[in-house]
Amino acid sequence: MPNYDLRCIDCNTEHNIRASMKEKSEKQISCPNCGSFELETVFKTAPAFVKGMSTPPCPQRSACGAACPHAK
């Protein structure tokens, strides 16, 4: 069963709740705080990873060429 980040519309609290997709689609999940079934999904952004060099380039890159293991 997946976990859902849900916000209660009545008491405005957020919860991470483990429930089946059927329970979520049929609104069978209740708020642990107030018991309301009026929950909405909270969308959160995932951390972004930027592709780039993690190590400095090889100082002898011209001698190593394209197969330089330091450039990877």
Side-chain angles (χ1 to χ4, degrees):
M1 285 194 288
N3 287 339
Y4 296 102
D5 288 322
L6 302 171
R7 177 182 298 121
C8 178
I9 295 172
D10 292 341
C11 67
N12 200 33
T13 56
E14 287 187 24
H15 307 281
N16 185 281
I17 299 173
R18 185 179 186 102
S20 69
M21 291 191 301
K22 181 180 178 184
E23 288 174 321
K24 184 176 182 288
S25 66
E26 294 179 3
K27 294 193 173 209
Q28 297 175 346
I29 305 169
S30 65
C31 173
N33 192 43
C34 69
S36 171
F37 289 93
E38 296 300 317
L39 302 171
E40 63 184 3
T41 304
V42 176
F43 295 99
K44 297 183 178 183
T45 58
F49 294 95
V50 178
K51 184 177 178 181
M53 292 191 303
S54 59
T55 59
C58 177
Q60 299 174 348
R61 189 170 186 178
S62 60
C64 293
C68 176
H70 304 103
K72 293 181 182 176

